[in-house]
Amino acid sequence: MTTARDQVLGRIRRALADVPAGERPEDVPVARDYQRAHAAPDPARTVDLLAENLADYRAVVHRVGAARLPDRIARSLAERGTRRAVRPRGLPAQWLAAAGPGVAWVRDAPALGARELDAVDTVVTGCAVAVAETGTLVLDTSEGQGSRRITLVPDHHICVVRVPDQVAASVPLALERLDP
């Protein structure tokens, strides 16, 4: 009886059958001439598409300017009943300025484990880039984004996307913005 694993490995072996023994992946250039975007550049439409696709994932999207952002974050925390929240290193302090004393802030740190994160109501982060076509928020652990684990355990994640600067229309355009 052939298992699914055997079938997949067989396909891989057949696909690699003509590869010379000493060849390495980096020895062969890969054409990257695929379509990078599916529409003409239109920042307003790209931001609208991101909001639509995020809503498809049942994310709640709020559009506010920089001056109203601290109040929006404070309202979101209050609406959720947040008492403890995680903030990553490098998150702009002004974003949290309106939250008030009712929220205890926990800093992201290597010692912060699953048990501590389970006692947290919300995490607030920024993002590296957002992909409009897929409704994807890319966090790369740089300043203001924190470690991956802080976004996985708490049930509520507030992610700030600076528009239009952090919004890319497509995955290829988003990848170009990331530092490998």
Side-chain angles (χ1 to χ4, degrees):
M1 175 183 244
T2 304
T3 66
R5 178 181 181 272
D6 293 333
Q7 290 175 353
V8 169
L9 291 175
R11 288 181 191 142
I12 292 170
R13 284 185 198 98
R14 286 190 298 279
L16 296 174
D18 63 344
V19 176
E23 185 176 283
R24 298 171 303 160
E26 57 270 16
D27 295 337
V28 180
V30 176
R32 305 264 187 227
D33 55 354
Y34 44 78
Q35 188 173 0
R36 296 174 58 234
H38 296 95
D42 178 352
R45 177 64 191 126
T46 302
V47 170
D48 288 343
L49 181 60
L50 173 65
E52 290 169 21
N53 286 329
L54 287 170
D56 281 347
Y57 288 119
R58 293 183 289 171
V60 178
V61 176
H62 300 281
R63 295 182 184 200
V64 299
R68 293 182 36 221
L69 180 61
D71 290 331
R72 178 65 260 171
I73 290 173
R75 279 198 315 277
S76 293
L77 293 168
E79 290 165 0
R80 186 70 182 199
T82 298
R83 295 183 191 276
R84 290 177 55 80
V86 177
R87 64 177 292 179
R89 162 188 54 80
L91 190 78
Q94 66 269 25
W95 289 5
L96 311 177
V103 177
W105 291 99
V106 177
R107 290 209 181 261
D108 182 17
L112 191 62
R115 182 166 291 164
E116 292 85 8
L117 286 169
D118 198 35
V120 168
D121 304 305
T122 300
V123 58
V124 180
T125 71
C127 73
V129 66
V131 185
E133 286 183 344
T134 61
T136 304
L137 302 176
V138 179
L139 285 75
D140 65 4
T141 72
S142 60
E143 290 287 310
Q145 297 169 46
S147 60
R148 185 167 184 257
R149 73 183 175 287
I150 68 170
T151 64
L152 297 176
V153 179
D155 292 331
H156 185 226
H157 182 185
I158 297 172
C159 184
V160 176
V161 179
R162 295 177 180 152
V163 297
D165 299 343
Q166 288 185 315
V167 181
S170 65
V171 172
L173 294 173
L175 290 174
E176 291 173 3
R177 296 182 184 199
L178 298 173
D179 181 0

